[in-house]
Amino acid sequence: MKKQAFNPYLPGYEYIPDGEPHVFDGRVYVYGSHDRFQAGMFCLNDYVCWSAPVDDLGNWRYEGVIYHKNQDPKNKLGLHILFAPDVARGADGRYYLYYAFDFMGVMGVAVCDTPAGEYRFLGHVKYRDGVIWGRKSGDSFPFDPGVLVDDDGRVYLYSGFYKPVPGIVTGGKQLKFEGGYVLELESDMVTIKTPAKLLFPKKGPGAFPGHEFFEASSIRKYEGKYYFVYSSKCNHELCYAVSDRPDGGFTYGGVLVSNCDVGVNGITDESHAANYAGNNHGGMLCLNGQYYIFYHRHTCRTSYSRQTCAEPLRRNADGSFQQAEMTSCGLNGAPLRGKGRYEARIACNLWCDKGTGRYDVKHSKKRYAHHPYFTQSEKDGSTTAVQYIANMGSGAVAGFKYFAMEDVKSIHLEVKGTASGNMLAARDKEFTDILAEIPVQLLAGQRKVCSGNVRVKNGVFPLYFKYVGEGTIDFIAFTLETEENG
């Protein structure tokens, strides 16, 4: 039996945001930046890669570190951090990694003979005269690369950022921040062939009202169409635009996913959304006709410890995509089995009695001190760390979607904390259809298993858990017990 796939689909100790999925030789490779658990800034770790067989998306393999930040000669001391990358296979069969160092305004390129080997520094994207892109006043700001090697071998590089960055950071040059750009590269994958062209203006004619370009350029070509995925000025959502050509003619398609589910199930307000909002970045993947959107969620009550997730996309009759709902079973291809043990970290919904909010605000940990959050038991890099939901006070809810429930007779909770109350399990977020009431009595940080019988209801539905009582609990895992596995 294949492993089930969950969200996040990588181990709980891994913090990879900005996930760009690509298929090379029968495997899906995910390239992203690399956050650090409990960090105070984005992307502090070196690039790593994970991969999975195209027909087994619950079986991910760690490929190791593929690029160190100090390999770039402009960063020998490793003081600059590697923001979101992208990878493309060139016409020569080699693999090219594109990246930008924080807000430096320079785009680097590394190359490797295999998708997930040790990439070697190749150069910086530059003009024919040798001047590095981003070092001429009036250049567009190099940021968040998206790379496409088209069927005819032509190479397109997409980039852009919404907010102006001070010239003191970009080597004293005044760069353009008008939206999303595209430029064409020579076959050497480094030299600019045609100058940057504004494709996605952040305002004025050609902008997408309410969903204007912010950052996170990502490009794919499927079935003769070019799909450009980006993060809008709303920040928590990934949108897309589509065209018949790579360098223009894009029309707005809609929202693909929001990491707080604003836009689905009647949710319109970030402060009372289905999860905590923050920036978003990811890419589209098509496997055997099924489309997916990769994105990331936030943990630790900050924007700096993000984890990659993915959801299937539904297409309308006209070929457009519906907005995906956040789930716990994104790449699984089906609901999760309604039996066995599940870690609480796969919750796709999380809020407290006061709702949710945005993590990308000042003093977010203090602001959300009352709220539940995802954390882990050990320091960054520990492969034995256990991720869980901490700080569930009275009224806090964790939601899991979806399960194929059949003859579940009891639920066993693994919890710790200091608390006296009940955990309610329900099929709906309003808790009008309660399946179980599980007593929770914990003394002075005690860890234990608490159990309760289930009012049997079969079918495919979500599970919501709400704690009601005194104190707070840390929610580690739950087990669905049936006659078969009991």
Side-chain angles (χ1 to χ4, degrees):
M1 183 180 294
K2 292 182 180 179
K3 292 181 180 178
Q4 293 193 106
F6 308 108
N7 270 328
Y9 55 85
L10 298 182
Y13 58 77
E14 186 64 284
Y15 293 84
I16 294 181
D18 312 324
E20 286 286 355
H22 291 283
V23 175
F24 299 125
D25 301 325
R27 294 187 71 84
V28 178
Y29 291 85
V30 171
Y31 305 91
S33 49
H34 197 186
D35 282 354
R36 187 173 296 174
F37 172 62
Q38 291 284 33
M41 177 49 68
F42 304 108
C43 313
L44 293 181
N45 290 329
D46 293 321
Y47 288 150
V48 299
C49 183
W50 289 78
S51 74
V54 294
D55 58 354
D56 190 1
L57 298 180
N59 187 17
W60 290 86
R61 181 177 76 197
Y62 178 59
E63 300 287 355
V65 176
I66 61 172
Y67 197 67
H68 298 271
K69 60 174 74 79
N70 62 1
Q71 287 180 241
D72 190 306
K74 289 189 174 294
N75 195 40
K76 291 181 178 179
L77 297 179
L79 299 179
H80 291 279
I81 51 183
L82 291 165
F83 274 9
D86 197 13
V87 168
R89 180 157 50 189
D92 60 359
R94 297 194 296 173
Y95 300 85
Y96 292 84
L97 170 70
Y98 291 78
Y99 60 90
F101 279 121
D102 44 60
F103 297 104
M104 196 170 157
V106 172
M107 191 77 73
V109 188
V111 64
C112 188
D113 293 330
T114 60
E118 296 182 5
Y119 282 75
R120 306 177 304 279
F121 175 76
L122 179 64
H124 297 104
V125 177
K126 58 183 175 60
Y127 294 95
R128 289 190 176 120
D129 61 7
V131 176
I132 294 174
W133 175 39
R135 287 299 174 258
K136 288 183 179 182
S137 291
D139 279 352
S140 61
F141 180 62
F143 192 79
D144 279 1
V147 191
L148 174 71
V149 178
D150 210 345
D151 299 334
D152 58 5
R154 296 175 72 176
V155 184
Y156 299 91
L157 177 61
Y158 301 77
S159 171
F161 188 55
Y162 187 95
K163 292 183 178 179
V165 174
I168 191 173
V169 179
T170 59
K173 305 302 181 183
Q174 297 299 314
L175 304 181
K176 290 182 179 178
F177 297 84
E178 297 175 354
Y181 296 81
V182 64
L183 54 82
E184 188 175 352
L185 297 177
E186 299 282 3
S187 59
D188 66 1
M189 308 295 282
V190 174
T191 304
I192 295 174
K193 183 177 182 179
T194 60
K197 170 187 176 182
L198 181 64
L199 278 187
F200 306 100
K202 67 182 186 182
K203 60 182 178 181
F208 303 137
H211 305 279
E212 294 87 346
F213 176 92
F214 187 88
E215 61 181 348
S217 297
S218 179
I219 187 72
R220 296 292 186 275
K221 184 181 183 181
Y222 292 125
E223 300 176 335
K225 298 286 187 180
Y226 297 86
Y227 294 94
F228 181 80
V229 176
Y230 68 97
S231 176
S232 78
K233 71 174 185 179
C234 298
N235 216 226
H236 58 79
E237 65 182 19
L238 295 181
C239 304
Y240 80 103
V242 63
S243 177
D244 293 323
R245 56 191 177 94
D247 58 352
F250 283 88
T251 57
Y252 178 71
V255 178
L256 294 174
V257 71
S258 159
N259 60 22
C260 57
D261 261 356
V262 166
V264 297
N265 300 324
I267 298 173
T268 59
D269 183 358
E270 293 171 17
S271 65
H272 287 83
N275 205 354
Y276 293 85
N279 67 12
N280 210 345
H281 191 150
M284 183 183 287
L285 178 69
C286 182
L287 289 176
N288 299 318
Q290 174 62 60
Y291 286 78
Y292 300 89
I293 182 64
F294 284 60
Y295 65 106
H296 61 237
R297 75 168 188 187
H298 295 250
T299 70
C300 301
R301 292 184 290 204
T302 76
S303 290
Y304 307 129
S305 299
R306 299 160 296 172
Q307 296 183 305
T308 183
C309 300
E311 306 292 352
L313 291 169
R314 293 182 179 179
R315 299 188 80 178
N316 298 311
D318 63 1
S320 61
F321 295 99
Q322 299 176 24
Q323 181 176 340
E325 176 188 34
M326 291 187 302
T327 70
S328 304
C329 57
L331 294 174
N332 200 48
L336 301 175
R337 294 188 289 272
K339 61 181 179 180
R341 183 180 184 271
Y342 293 93
E343 294 177 313
R345 73 177 189 89
I346 68 169
C348 55
N349 294 165
L350 190 64
W351 62 80
C352 77
D353 59 337
K354 298 183 183 299
T356 57
R358 295 193 66 97
Y359 278 156
D360 51 355
V361 294
K362 289 183 179 180
H363 311 299
S364 59
K365 288 186 178 181
K366 182 177 180 180
R367 176 176 293 195
Y368 298 112
H370 175 71
H371 293 239
Y373 60 97
F374 297 100
T375 187
Q376 69 181 44
S377 61
E378 299 176 38
K379 65 181 181 180
D380 183 73
S382 172
T383 59
T384 59
V386 175
Q387 192 176 36
Y388 59 94
I389 300 172
N391 201 45
M392 289 187 70
S394 190
V397 173
F400 303 80
K401 299 175 180 176
Y402 287 89
F403 291 93
M405 304 285 279
E406 185 174 354
D407 299 330
V408 175
K409 68 175 185 178
S410 59
I411 298 177
H412 308 285
L413 307 175
E414 296 173 42
V415 293
K416 64 178 180 178
T418 304
S420 177
N422 292 287
M423 184 78 92
L424 306 181
R427 295 202 307 177
D428 64 317
K429 63 182 180 180
E430 293 80 19
F431 286 82
T432 60
D433 190 358
I434 295 176
L435 301 177
E437 299 179 23
I438 304 167
V440 177
Q441 300 291 327
L442 301 170
L443 300 175
Q446 180 183 18
R447 176 171 177 166
K448 64 186 294 188
V449 175
C450 302
S451 302
N453 294 328
V454 172
R455 302 181 182 96
V456 177
K457 295 200 176 177
N458 295 341
V460 175
F461 50 83
L463 276 179
Y464 293 94
F465 293 92
K466 178 165 70 173
Y467 175 64
V468 179
E470 302 295 325
T472 61
I473 65 171
D474 294 342
F475 189 8
I476 300 165
F478 63 94
T479 298
L480 303 175
E481 184 177 314
T482 64
E483 293 291 346
E484 179 183 342
N485 72 344

